[in-house]
Amino acid sequence: MRNEIIRLENVITSDVTKTNLNNFNLHLFAGEILGLIAVDEHGKEKLLEILYQNSSIRFGRIYFKEMLVNSYKYSDNTFNKVYILSQKSKLIDHLNVLDNVFVLKRGFRKYIINSKVLAQQFYRLLEESEIDIEINPYDFGDQLTEYQRCVVEIIKAVVQGIKVIVINNISSELSEKDLKAFKLFLKRLVLNGYGVLYIGNHHEEVFPISDRVALMKNGSIIKVFEKDELFEQNILPYTISMDKTETSLKRSCAEGKILFKGITTEYLKDITFEVQKGTCVVLYDRSNKVQQDVISCLIGENKMNTGEIYVETEGVRKKIEKKSWKHQIGVIDENPIKNNMYHNLSFIDNFCTFLDNRKKTVYISGKLKASIQKEYYKELGKALYETNLNKLGKTDLYNLVYYRILLQNPKVVFIAQPFTDADMYLRFHIIELIRMLKQKEIAVIILAFTISDNLHIADKFILIEEGYKKKEFLPEEFSDIQLDI
Amino acid sequence: MKHRYSISKAIKIWIYILGIIYIFLLLMLLFISVNEHKYYVFLAVGAAGAVLAAYTGYFLVYRRNKKIEKICQLYIEGYITEEEYEKNVMISDMIDAVYKCQSEKLDKTKILNLSKKQAQYLALQNQINPHFLYNTLEGIRSEALCSDMDRVANMAEALATFFRYTISNIDKMVTLEDELANVENYYIIQKYRFGEKLQLKIEYGDDLSVLSFKLPKLILQPIVENAVYHGIENKLGQGTLKIQVNYTAKRLLIKISDDGMGIEKETLEELNTKLLTNSLEDITESKQKKGGIAILNVNNRIKLLYGEEYGIFIQSLRNVGTDVQIVLPVIKE
């Protein structure tokens, strides 16, 4: 007999304009990790909401430990024993770990707090979870690394008596190494009777940890894979193909390359590699340090210790001076919708942000904007005329980010973790956008700490360990990458 | 005489008029208070009146009205069935009496009997379906020619057992073991027709007590039959049917999967919407739609016997396969 913790049965929810969850059926047993892959984002937020709180639903029933807690006939807005671990921290920054874990617990009624006793309890909980991590219980919430924060939040949930832990897309916050350790921690956790709903966008991430995996699309569960069905070929019919459809560049057009020679930064040590125009190189580092290091150098936060960047065309090598980096190197940060946008500006104003590279004056005339709108209307459509970015979907916003780079026309563009938080359709779209940059002869360098879909667009894969270049893989060797890493 | 407004709308208009009169009286009071410099009288009376009106209005009228409107809306959309008749909506004593009378008239056993009849009809149809008999006899004949008599005997035995189980006592409760045995019998019969093309796997773990759980008769076989005819028959190459059994403290969970042709998206949505509730719709439709009817029929029987929280749900993708999830209550005795 299995102990069922949560069951959603025929759940239909809707807001004013659309249906979120559409005949949604899912159940989670105690002691299992149920993977959930959202093919699209439709209804995901609502699912998290109704798991946490018994808010009104249009149809269906929700059971917690086989007791009816919410139905279309009656919703009492009470809270379920569900903890949602997401990218945004739920810890209070200016309270230490002990306060966050123990003092903020509902029902904690002590007037004199003995930190030593609480610290002992905290260490005991850490020891019981057999996790290899060092956490200072007196550190403040904002002093913790992402990995520490995730572990502390889970311990907080355990202390609160939570039965279901929802892991919502945290892979982009953790390095490959930390993610592996965290998954091991979750596996040990469920042995104590907890249920974990592990939400991810990619089957490569979700399959290895899960006992079952549910696929969600258009607000419904379209398939549940059992443990013995968790193979890549089983999920392929439910996904969209991301295989290469790009026509290979004519080498005559794409002649020329960018050379990175002896690059040494705070983390990187004497890295030398080259990238052909119109091709894509993935710099892969499991520790997530390359990404932060390179981006901070490019945007001028940190300095590159040694090393030069050259452009080589027809055998003539020309150095790119640091002062002209801004004009010749494009940067797309991780999660660009959040990090690379001015949400109080209109679409066209955001679109023209980098135009000062090509136009000397700061002022961009309305006439020029109108001309740009006319030129890009075919690709970007009505979104070009939108004044409020919040009204646009993710596809339009990613179009803005990538077409803006096209307008900037740099020699090389650095993209940090391009597929973070993207559902399957959006990932496909991002691949198309990166292919477009390649077609326009822009060299693309992806800074990644997860392999994800990067191999679909990569022409070269460089493995970095401890700051040193360990190995280079060409497309015909990509199948060996999994084995090597 | 035909009235312009419904009674509820008329009540609302009347309340608005009362509200306007109340506000008018308050203004009068304000005017008097200002003249006599006694603002507190106005404030106290006005605030107390407003709080009382809001409080009583919310609890006595608004919340109940909302609930009734939600039930009506769901009923119109077809989500609610007979259970709502059992609810006391308390509009007025007279209307409630009418409501109760109406619910008695809707005899839910009518649907149950029709479902049973439909199941018997399908069973009889199996018995006399010439294709079914021809294919089966053809199998027996070819086996008689090509092999020893043992196998023919097995086949005949399987056929006899299958018919015996299918036709008798349709409303009887059986054990899961009996149901699975019947499915295996059906598989043996179909195996003579499909050969290695058809494979069956049954998984119920190490806990054998699940086999003694009771369930209504002929819940699994119609769905397996559907999977064979609509899923695997038209598929090129081998097809596998998988039955997985699991259970919790209150629920028996049975998943019947096939890797056959799958169901078109629109048809699937339509079917799943119909499976949300039980109804007479589709039960008496033509035999061309037999596949859908069999599932609807099984779903109707489950919902009528055990309530709307039990039943069937389907997940499917064209050219990939179909999973039919059956949820039943755990009945040990």
Side-chain angles (χ1 to χ4, degrees):
Chain A
M1 188 182 82
R2 306 293 302 269
N3 288 321
E4 192 179 79
I5 308 187
I6 215 158
R7 163 175 287 270
L8 291 100
E9 209 168 67
N10 304 125
V11 175
I12 301 174
T13 61
S14 54
D15 56 24
V16 184
T17 52
K18 61 177 181 180
T19 300
N20 315 112
L21 295 176
N22 186 13
N23 212 344
F24 188 92
N25 288 273
L26 193 73
H27 61 271
L28 172 69
F29 294 122
E32 80 163 350
I33 299 178
L34 174 65
L36 180 71
I37 300 174
V39 178
D40 55 29
E41 296 276 306
H42 191 115
K44 205 175 93 178
E45 287 302 313
K46 191 70 187 176
L47 171 66
L48 295 177
E49 185 193 317
I50 60 165
L51 278 174
Y52 179 64
Q53 189 177 17
N54 297 313
S55 54
S56 177
I57 55 176
R58 193 162 153 234
F59 190 74
R61 294 157 295 276
I62 299 170
Y63 300 86
F64 195 84
K65 288 192 147 189
E66 307 221 38
M67 297 289 289
L68 186 68
V69 290
N70 193 2
S71 86
Y72 65 99
K73 289 173 190 168
Y74 184 68
S75 306
D76 59 5
N77 284 316
T78 52
F79 295 96
N80 295 321
K81 286 190 171 179
V82 173
Y83 192 89
I84 298 170
L85 176 69
S86 48
Q87 292 171 7
K88 199 175 169 191
S89 172
K90 286 196 180 69
L91 301 179
I92 294 175
D93 287 348
H94 303 299
L95 289 181
N96 68 27
V97 171
L98 295 177
D99 293 341
N100 271 297
V101 172
F102 297 104
V103 181
L104 294 182
K105 182 187 149 195
R106 198 177 290 174
F108 186 87
R109 299 202 188 281
K110 287 183 180 172
Y111 295 99
I112 300 165
I113 296 162
N114 187 338
S115 297
K116 276 186 185 171
V117 173
L118 294 182
Q120 278 171 1
Q121 280 187 40
F122 182 76
Y123 284 127
R124 188 173 51 78
L125 285 167
L126 264 186
E127 206 174 297
E128 279 172 9
S129 60
E130 297 174 38
I131 188 167
D132 185 22
I133 189 172
E134 277 185 21
I135 301 172
N136 181 357
Y138 301 102
D139 274 354
F140 289 107
D142 56 359
Q143 289 176 318
L144 300 174
T145 64
E146 278 303 311
Y147 178 41
Q148 287 173 329
R149 192 264 297 178
C150 290
V151 173
V152 169
E153 282 202 45
I154 298 285
I155 290 174
K156 184 183 171 178
V158 169
V159 169
Q160 284 177 351
I162 294 291
K163 294 291 169 208
V164 176
I165 295 164
V166 181
I167 309 292
N168 181 22
N169 269 332
I170 48 122
S171 63
S172 56
E173 300 297 307
L174 303 177
S175 67
E176 190 98 353
K177 192 179 152 199
D178 290 344
L179 187 63
K180 205 174 165 184
F182 186 67
K183 282 179 174 178
L184 202 65
F185 171 54
L186 291 178
K187 278 189 172 177
R188 287 200 195 103
L189 189 76
V190 293
L191 295 178
N192 298 321
Y194 296 95
V196 171
L197 180 65
Y198 190 96
I199 303 175
N201 284 328
H202 211 288
H203 69 273
E204 283 171 3
E205 176 201 342
V206 178
F207 273 13
I209 192 183
S210 306
D211 297 306
R212 291 185 297 139
V213 171
L215 271 187
M216 183 179 172
K217 188 180 177 185
N218 290 332
S220 299
I221 294 296
I222 56 166
K223 174 77 185 170
V224 177
F225 295 106
E226 301 296 329
K227 184 82 180 168
D228 59 347
E229 296 170 334
L230 298 178
F231 300 111
E232 187 171 351
Q233 66 266 32
N234 285 343
I235 199 178
L236 290 179
Y238 295 90
T239 60
I240 41 175
S241 171
M242 299 201 190
D243 288 342
K244 282 187 179 180
T245 53
E246 59 187 328
T247 49
S248 54
L249 281 175
K250 290 176 188 170
R251 285 295 141 208
S252 56
C253 301
E255 233 175 63
K257 54 190 172 188
I258 321 289
L259 289 169
F260 294 83
K261 202 172 176 188
I263 305 289
T264 302
T265 61
E266 201 178 316
Y267 177 68
L268 292 177
K269 293 172 186 89
D270 196 24
I271 299 281
T272 298
F273 68 97
E274 60 179 46
V275 50
Q276 288 272 340
K277 276 186 181 177
T279 63
C280 173
V281 170
V282 174
L283 292 185
Y284 174 81
D285 176 58
R286 269 184 282 187
S287 70
N288 186 16
K289 287 179 184 160
V290 167
Q291 182 187 327
Q292 296 156 358
D293 198 41
V294 173
I295 296 285
S296 58
C297 279
L298 291 172
I299 60 174
E301 275 181 8
N302 283 341
K303 281 185 179 174
M304 193 166 79
N305 296 340
T306 56
E308 305 291 350
I309 306 172
Y310 298 95
V311 181
E312 192 178 294
T313 317
E314 293 171 354
V316 180
R317 193 175 284 187
K318 194 179 163 191
K319 187 178 163 186
I320 304 181
E321 297 296 338
K322 268 189 188 172
K323 60 183 178 187
S324 67
W325 276 14
K326 193 184 164 191
H327 306 294
Q328 303 206 39
I329 298 173
V331 179
I332 298 176
D333 217 340
E334 185 180 356
N335 212 337
I337 293 180
K338 216 189 285 176
N339 301 328
N340 292 161
M341 296 271 183
Y342 300 102
H343 283 268
N344 51 345
L345 294 182
S346 67
F347 188 103
I348 188 67
D349 288 333
N350 269 287
F351 196 58
C352 297
T353 313
F354 298 144
L355 213 58
D356 60 329
N357 293 348
R358 298 172 67 176
K359 204 170 156 51
K360 297 283 183 236
T361 55
V362 177
Y363 175 72
I364 297 165
S365 69
K367 202 176 168 185
L368 180 62
K369 285 181 192 170
S371 164
I372 290 169
Q373 281 169 326
K374 200 175 167 187
E375 190 183 332
Y376 282 92
Y377 186 79
K378 200 178 162 191
E379 287 87 6
L380 301 174
K382 285 179 184 171
L384 268 166
Y385 296 93
E386 185 57 61
T387 50
N388 184 359
L389 290 190
N390 297 325
K391 285 184 183 171
L392 294 174
K394 278 189 173 178
T395 310
D396 285 324
L397 295 173
Y398 270 92
N399 278 342
L400 166 56
V401 172
Y402 282 84
Y403 275 91
R404 185 167 63 179
I405 291 290
L406 201 64
L407 195 66
Q408 182 193 350
N409 195 23
K411 295 265 186 296
V412 57
V413 59
F414 284 81
I415 309 175
Q417 283 284 107
F419 304 106
T420 298
D421 292 347
D423 64 32
M424 204 171 285
Y425 288 100
L426 190 56
R427 293 207 306 273
F428 181 74
H429 187 66
I430 294 168
I431 286 176
E432 288 299 312
L433 290 169
I434 295 174
R435 283 177 183 161
M436 173 198 73
L437 295 180
K438 286 166 70 178
Q439 287 292 327
K440 299 291 177 186
E441 296 186 17
I442 296 171
V444 177
I445 297 175
I446 293 176
L447 308 166
F449 60 85
T450 55
I451 294 177
S452 191
D453 296 299
N454 293 313
L455 296 184
H456 291 291
I457 33 169
D459 298 291
K460 196 190 282 179
F461 185 93
I462 299 175
L463 176 62
I464 291 173
E465 271 185 15
E466 305 295 333
Y468 291 101
K469 186 166 102 175
K470 194 184 173 197
K471 200 171 178 184
E472 271 190 20
F473 296 86
L474 291 171
E476 54 272 21
E477 300 163 325
F478 282 175
S479 55
D480 304 332
I481 290 175
Q482 291 281 10
L483 298 173
D484 262 66
I485 292 169
Chain B
M1 192 183 96
K2 198 179 176 186
H3 293 284
R4 249 175 104 186
Y5 306 114
S6 66
I7 184 72
S8 64
K9 202 166 185 181
I11 290 170
K12 274 182 194 169
I13 294 169
W14 183 59
I15 290 169
Y16 288 146
I17 293 167
L18 283 180
I20 292 165
I21 293 168
Y22 173 72
I23 292 165
F24 178 73
L25 286 172
L26 274 181
L27 287 172
M28 289 281 286
L29 196 62
L30 173 68
F31 182 71
I32 295 162
S33 310
V34 169
N35 279 349
E36 295 183 12
H37 302 286
K38 288 177 180 171
Y39 296 101
Y40 61 89
V41 176
F42 162 73
L43 284 172
V45 174
V51 168
L52 190 69
Y55 183 81
T56 51
Y58 180 75
F59 282 101
L60 294 178
V61 183
Y62 180 78
R63 264 188 14 163
R64 289 173 64 186
N65 186 48
K66 269 277 178 206
K67 197 174 174 184
I68 292 167
E69 278 182 0
K70 191 178 177 185
I71 289 170
C72 293
Q73 186 60 38
L74 287 165
Y75 188 83
I76 291 163
E77 289 172 10
Y79 289 128
I80 295 176
T81 55
E82 77 286 347
E83 275 187 29
E84 295 317 308
Y85 276 104
E86 288 157 20
K87 277 188 168 291
N88 191 355
V89 289
M90 291 289 281
I91 296 171
S92 78
D93 292 346
M94 210 57 192
I95 290 171
D96 277 8
V98 173
Y99 199 65
K100 204 174 172 185
C101 184
Q102 180 65 27
S103 85
E104 279 164 11
K105 280 184 181 170
L106 183 84
D107 186 1
K108 71 173 183 180
T109 55
K110 191 181 165 189
I111 302 176
L112 190 59
N113 287 337
L114 256 171
S115 296
K116 279 183 199 165
K117 276 183 185 170
Q118 184 67 34
Q120 279 168 330
Y121 164 74
L122 290 173
L124 284 168
Q125 202 183 35
N126 272 342
Q127 194 185 22
I128 57 166
N129 185 336
H131 291 295
F132 183 80
L133 270 182
Y134 291 163
N135 291 332
T136 313
L137 289 171
E138 185 64 28
I140 295 169
R141 190 183 68 82
S142 54
E143 282 300 313
L145 287 172
C146 306
S147 61
D148 294 333
M149 293 300 284
D150 286 358
R151 292 192 67 194
V152 180
N154 287 343
M155 186 180 174
E157 191 191 356
L159 195 62
T161 313
F162 175 77
F163 281 135
R164 204 175 302 126
Y165 184 86
T166 309
I167 294 163
S168 65
N169 298 330
I170 189 81
D171 52 354
K172 198 181 150 191
M173 293 289 278
V174 293
T175 61
L176 179 63
E177 191 174 10
D178 292 339
E179 272 291 279
L180 291 173
N182 185 47
V183 168
E184 280 177 314
N185 245 325
Y186 178 77
Y187 168 69
I188 290 168
I189 296 163
Q190 292 295 0
K191 189 91 172 146
Y192 287 102
R193 182 181 166 202
F194 290 102
E196 289 307 306
K197 182 184 165 80
L198 184 66
Q199 298 296 320
L200 175 71
K201 285 181 192 169
I202 300 177
E203 295 171 4
Y204 44 79
D206 300 328
D207 186 358
L208 299 180
S209 65
V210 71
L211 294 175
S212 62
F213 290 177
K214 296 278 173 101
L215 69 162
K217 201 174 185 181
L218 286 178
I219 291 288
L220 304 185
Q221 188 272 334
I223 294 164
V224 169
E225 187 179 331
N226 248 353
V228 172
Y229 282 108
H230 300 279
I232 292 172
E233 187 178 15
N234 298 326
K235 187 193 173 187
L236 290 173
Q238 199 181 66
T240 306
L241 263 167
K242 199 159 134 187
I243 302 176
Q244 289 162 291
V245 182
N246 228 322
Y247 75 102
T248 67
K250 289 185 179 172
R251 286 180 175 77
L252 175 62
L253 312 165
I254 303 170
K255 182 167 149 184
I256 301 175
S257 315
D258 70 76
D259 55 1
M261 298 302 290
I263 305 171
E264 290 289 351
K265 194 182 162 199
E266 292 76 21
T267 316
L268 179 70
E269 266 185 32
E270 197 185 327
L271 199 53
N272 271 328
T273 308
K274 281 178 184 171
L275 290 170
L276 286 177
T277 54
N278 48 29
S279 69
L280 282 164
E281 200 188 343
D282 287 311
I283 288 183
T284 51
E285 278 191 22
S286 64
K287 69 173 183 181
Q288 279 83 355
K289 281 193 171 181
K290 189 183 147 192
I293 294 173
I295 288 183
L296 288 174
N297 176 284
V298 172
N299 184 58
N300 271 346
R301 282 165 58 211
I302 295 171
K303 284 195 185 300
L304 287 164
L305 286 168
Y306 305 119
E308 62 169 13
E309 65 263 45
Y310 302 99
I312 291 176
F313 183 76
I314 305 171
Q315 291 161 340
S316 183
L317 185 70
R318 193 76 183 141
N319 297 324
V320 176
T322 304
D323 295 343
V324 179
Q325 314 261 359
I326 307 169
V327 183
L328 289 158
V330 166
I331 303 170
K332 292 182 180 171
E333 291 301 322

